[in-house]
C-alpha cells in the first residue's frame, strides 16, 4: 500500500511538471541589446525573462528584448536558461513585435552540447506579433539547460522584439494570458458622473474622501481655471442627500494658483490633502509634493514634504499616502529604477522628514511607466496603472496587496478585467473606506477628452474591511471640547496612527482595519492621559463607531479607571499590554512633581471573598512597584484593595462582571 501511494505521488508530480510552463529566468548571453541615453533597463536582454509582459496584445514594448539596431545583416541571438533541467516537447516564444525575424531555435543540453530544434523556412507573415509555438513530435532525448534564439532582423521592417521564452513538456500550445482578478462579473456597469462633474474638457485623477462624501479631481484648461493658460486646477463636488453630486467648484487659493495644480490623496479625517508639486510664495512651483491642512479658516498654504535625495528624473510624478500618514507612495524615476517611472516608497522619520525613495520591487514595477498609485483605507490594498503587464489597453489598472510591514513585498498584480479596463488609457483608481464604489478616469464613452466614472466594486478586488472611528475629546468635568493628541496602536501588529484633535475643525476620524484589537489613547497637558482597548477582531463589515474621549483634569479628588491595565487571570502579574498606559502615568507624574495619587483595586464577586480582597491589594501594589521602578517616588503613591465590595455593575453576567475587575486612580493632591 505504501509503495502504491509513493507511485501515485510521483505520478501526480510528473503530470504537474509536464503541464507546467517554465519561463526563462536567466540571461546566459546575447549578441546585442538596445540602449540609449534616455533609457536604463528598457529593452535590455533581461526583459525577455519571466512571463509575457505584452502578449496577448502585440506592439512595441519596453518590457521586451530588442537588439541594438534594425535590419542588422549579421545574425542576432539570445540565450536564456530556466529554473529546471528536463526533457522538453515545446518552446514558446512571445514575438510581440517584428514577428518572423526568428530563423533558428536551438537548445543546450545538460552537457552544453548545442542541438537544433527548429529552422524557419517560411517567409514572414504580415502579423505584427504572436506567440510562436514550436511543438516537437516527441520529447527531447536529453535534458534542456537553455534555449538559443537566432534572429535575422532584415526579414522584417522596423524593430524586432521578444517578450518572453517558455518551455514545457506539454503538447498543448502555450498561450499568453492576462492575470485577471478572480471572480469578476462578466460585465461591470460603469456610470459617467455626468455634467455636474464632467465637461467638454479633460477631467482626471479623482480622489474620493474616505467617507465617500466629497470628490476631488483635476480639470484641464477649463475656462474657470486660474491663469491665462488655464492650466490644470483642482475641483470638488459634494454628495447631496439625494445621493447626487453637486455642481463642481474649483478650490480656492492657495490650493489653486496659475500653475499646474493636482490633488493626490486625502487623509482619513478629510483634513489633510496631498498635492503635486512644491508651492512657492511667489506662485511658482517646483518638483515634489506638498501637504495642506484644513483649519477653521480653510486650507492653509501647502508645505513641502522634505524627501531625502529627491531627484526625480521623470517629468511626472504621482503620490498617495498610507492611512496612518507615515508612508508615502510615489512614482518617479530615481535610483534602482526598473526602467521608466516606477513606484517607490518613502517613510516618515522621527524629525518629520521623509526617507530617500526606495523602489517597491520587480513584482509591481516594470520597464514601462507605472503610475497613479492609490493605497486604500486598509493600508494594504494598492491600485495602480501600467502598460508593463499584460492587459487590454494602452494602460490598465491593477491591484496588489501588501504582504508585510516592510512595504516592499507585494502580491502578484491582478488586472481589474475587461469590464473595467478598456482599449484606451485607464488609471487614477480611488475607492472610499466603505469600499462600495470606485472612481477612475477613462476615455471610453466620455463627454470630453477624459471623464470621471464610478462603478460598484466587485468583491474580489475590494480593500479589506475597515472600521471608521470618529468622535471628540472632552473635559471630563465640564464636558467641553478640548484639543488633544490621539494615538491608536494595533495590538496585532506594529501599525500606529497619531492625530491631533482640534475642536474647531470637527470630530477626529480614523480608518482602522477590522479584525484587529487596538489601544486608543489621548493626552493633553494638565489632564490625566486616557486609554482604552477597542476590540474589532470579530468585525467583518464596514461600521462607523462613535468614540468620544473624556480627559480628567489634574485636580485633587478627580477619579478615573485605568481601562488598559491588565493582569494574568487570578494573578497579580501585570501583562505587557498594560505598559503604555502606565508609562503615560509616569510621564504625567514627572511633569507634576507635587501630585500624589491613590491606586484602588477591585474584583468581581466570583470565587473566595478573602482571596479577592488579597488579590486586589496585590495588584495595586504591583502597579505601584512598576511606577516606582520608572522613577516615581513611592511616597507619592497610596494603595488600597477593596476586593468585590465596590461593584460598578451587576455581577449576574460575565459581560457586566468585567467592569468590576478594575484599577482606579484618584488624585489625592496636585
Amino acid at each position: 500500500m505504501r509503495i502504491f501511494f509513493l507511485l501515485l505521488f510521483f505520478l501526480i508530480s510528473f503530470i504537474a511538471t509536464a503541464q507546467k510552463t517554465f519561463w526563462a529566468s536567466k540571461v546566459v548571453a546575447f549578441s546585442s541589446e538596445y540602449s540609449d541615453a534616455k533609457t536604463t533597463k528598457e529593452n535590455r536582454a533581461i526583459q525577455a525573462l519571466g512571463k509575457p509582459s505584452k502578449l496577448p496584445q502585440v506592439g512595441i514594448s519596453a518590457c521586451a528584448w530588442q537588439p541594438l539596431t534594425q535590419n542588422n545583416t549579421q545574425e542576432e541571438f539570445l540565450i536564456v536558461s530556466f529554473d529546471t533541467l528536463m526533457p522538453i516537447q515545446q518552446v514558446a516564444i512571445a514575438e510581440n513585435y517584428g514577428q518572423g525575424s526568428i530563423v533558428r531555435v536551438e537548445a543546450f543540453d545538460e552537457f552544453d552540447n548545442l542541438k537544433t530544434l527548429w529552422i524557419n523556412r517560411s517567409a514572414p507573415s504580415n502579423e505584427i506579433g504572436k506567440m510562436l509555438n514550436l511543438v516537437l513530435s516527441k520529447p527531447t532525448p536529453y535534458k534542456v539547460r537553455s534555449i538559443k534564439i537566432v534572429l535575422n532582423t532584415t526579414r522584417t521592417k522596423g524593430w524586432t522584439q521578444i517578450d518572453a521564452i517558455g518551455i514545457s513538456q506539454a503538447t498543448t500550445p502555450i498561450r499568453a494570458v492576462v492575470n485577471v482578478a478572480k471572480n469578476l462579473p462578466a460585465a461591470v456597469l460603469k456610470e459617467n458622473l455626468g455634467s455636474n462633474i464632467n465637461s467638454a474638457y479633460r477631467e482626471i485623477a479623482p480622489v474620493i474622501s474616505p467617507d465617500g462624501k466629497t470628490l476631488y479631481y483635476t480639470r484641464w484648461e477649463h475656462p474657470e481655471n486660474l491663469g491665462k493658460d488655464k492650466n490644470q486646477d483642482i475641483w470638488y463636488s459634494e454628495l447631496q442627500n439625494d445621493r447626487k453630486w453637486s455642481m463642481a467648484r474649483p478650490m480656492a487659493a492657495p490650493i489653486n494658483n496659475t500653475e499646474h495644480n493636482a490633488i493626490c490623496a486625502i487623509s482619513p479625517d478629510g483634513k489633510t490633502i496631498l498635492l503635486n508639486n512644491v508651492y512657492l510664495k511667489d506662485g511658482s512651483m517646483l518638483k515634489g509634493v506638498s501637504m495642506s491642512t484644513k483649519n477653521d479658516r480653510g486650507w492653509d498654504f501647502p508645505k513641502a514634504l522634505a524627501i531625502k535625495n529627491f531627484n526625480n528624473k521623470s517629468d511626472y510624478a504621482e503620490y498617495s499616502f498610507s492611512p496612518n500618514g507615515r508612508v508615502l507612495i510615489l512614482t518617479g524615476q530615481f535610483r534602482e529604477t526598473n526602467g521608466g517611472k516606477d513606484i517607490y516608497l518613502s517613510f516618515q522619520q522621527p524629525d518629520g522628514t521623509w526617507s530617500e525613495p526606495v523602489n517597491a520591487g520587480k513584482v509591481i514595477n516594470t520597464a514601462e511607466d507605472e503610475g497613479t498609485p492609490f493605497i486604500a483605507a486598509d493600508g494594504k490594498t494598492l491600485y495602480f496603472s501600467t502598460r508593463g503587464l499584460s492587459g487590454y489597453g494602452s494602460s490598465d489598472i491593477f491591484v496588489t496587496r501588501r504582504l508585510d510591514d516592510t512595504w516592499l513585498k507585494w502580491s502578484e498584480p491582478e488586472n481589474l478585467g475587461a469590464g473595467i479596463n478598456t482599449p484606451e488609457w485607464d488609471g487614477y483608481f480611488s475607492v472610499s473606506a466603505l469600499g462600495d464604489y470606485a472612481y477612475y478616469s477613462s476615455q471610453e464613452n466620455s463627454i470630453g477628452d477624459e471623464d470621471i466614472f464610478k462603478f460598484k466594486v466587485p468583491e474580489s478586488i475590494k480593500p479589506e474591511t475597515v472600521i471608521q472611528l470618529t468622535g471628540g475629546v472632552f473635559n471630563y468635568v465640564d464636558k467641553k471640547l478640548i484639543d488633544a493628541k490621539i494615538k491608536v496602536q494595533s495590538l496585532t501588529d506594529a501599525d500606529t496612527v497619531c492625530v491631533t484633535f482640534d475642536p474647531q475643525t470637527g470630530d477626529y476620524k480614523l480608518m482602522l482595519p477590522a479584525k484587529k484589537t487596538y489601544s486608543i489613547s489621548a493626552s493633553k497637558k494638565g489632564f490625566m492621559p486616557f486609554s482604552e482597548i477597542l476590540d474589532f477582531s470579530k468585525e467583518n463589515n464596514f461600521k462607523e463607531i462613535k468614540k468620544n474621549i473624556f480627559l480628567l483634569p489634574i485636580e485633587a479628588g478627580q477619579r478615573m479607571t485605568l481601562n488598559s491595565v491588565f493582569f494574568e487571570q487570578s494573578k497579580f502579574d501585570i501583562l505587557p499590554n498594560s505598559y503604555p498606559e502606565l508609562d503615560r502615568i509616569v510621564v504625567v507624574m514627572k511633569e507634576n512633581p507635587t501630585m500624589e495619587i491613590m491606586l484602588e483595586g477591585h474584583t468581581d464577586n466570583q470565587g473566595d471573598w478573602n482571596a479577592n480582597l488579597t488579590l486586589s491589594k496585590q495588584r495595586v501594589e504591583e502597579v505601584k512597584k512598576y511606577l516606582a521602578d520608572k522613577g516615581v517616588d513611592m511616597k507619592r503613591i497610596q494603595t488600597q484593595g477593596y476586593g468585590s465590595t465596590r461593584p460598578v455593575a451587576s455581577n449576574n453576567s460575565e459581560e457586566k462582571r468585567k467592569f468590576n475587575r478594575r484599577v482606579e486612580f484618584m488624585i489625592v493632591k496636585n
Side-chain angles (χ1 to χ4, degrees), residues 140-304:
T140 57
Y142 50 84
K143 295 179 180 179
V144 171
R145 183 186 300 279
S146 54
I147 292 292
K148 180 179 181 180
I149 298 171
V150 182
L151 308 178
N152 179 353
T153 58
T154 63
R155 285 169 56 87
T156 57
K157 293 182 179 180
W159 294 105
T160 296
Q161 292 190 340
I162 301 297
D163 186 7
I165 302 165
I167 58 174
S168 175
Q169 294 179 336
T171 56
T172 303
I174 296 168
R175 302 296 183 202
V177 296
V178 179
N179 185 34
V180 180
K182 307 296 184 292
N183 303 318
L184 291 178
V188 176
L189 180 61
K190 294 177 287 187
E191 177 188 344
N192 187 301
L193 293 190
S195 57
N196 278 8
I197 302 290
N198 296 312
S199 70
Y201 300 90
R202 188 181 179 201
E203 283 81 29
I204 62 169
V207 174
I208 187 70
S209 61
D211 63 9
K213 295 179 180 179
T214 306
L215 179 68
Y216 300 88
Y217 62 97
T218 301
R219 179 174 266 174
W220 281 74
E221 298 178 349
H222 190 276
E224 295 181 40
N225 283 3
L226 299 178
K228 61 183 180 64
D229 296 326
K230 305 299 182 186
N231 291 314
Q232 63 181 51
D233 277 0
I234 302 167
W235 290 61
Y236 72 100
S237 174
E238 296 171 323
L239 194 64
Q240 307 301 294
N241 292 334
D242 60 3
R243 308 302 298 170
K244 293 181 180 179
W245 291 102
S246 67
M247 181 64 70
R249 293 173 288 173
M251 293 189 75
I255 305 303
N256 281 328
N257 58 25
T258 59
E259 298 296 322
H260 290 286
N261 309 118
I263 186 170
C264 306
I266 187 167
S267 62
D269 61 3
K271 298 174 185 177
T272 301
I273 54 176
L274 207 58
L275 301 162
N276 215 329
N277 297 318
V278 172
Y279 285 64
L280 301 181
K281 292 294 184 180
D282 64 2
S284 60
M285 299 280 214
L286 296 176
K287 274 187 181 181
V289 60
S290 300
M291 189 175 286
S292 176
T293 302
K294 195 174 188 179
N295 53 46
D296 56 339
R297 299 177 302 280
W299 295 98
D300 63 13
F301 190 87
K303 299 176 180 63

Side-chain angles (χ1 to χ4, degrees), residues 29 45 78 86 108 114 116 124-125 138-139 146 150 156 282 356 367 373 387 428 471 473 535 538 648 650:
L78 175 64
M86 67 181 188
F108 286 92
L114 188 61
T116 299
S125 68
K138 58 183 180 180
S146 54
V150 182
T156 57
D282 64 2
E356 181 174 354
R387 58 181 294 176
Y428 294 112
V473 181
D535 187 359
K538 297 180 181 179
V648 293
S650 168

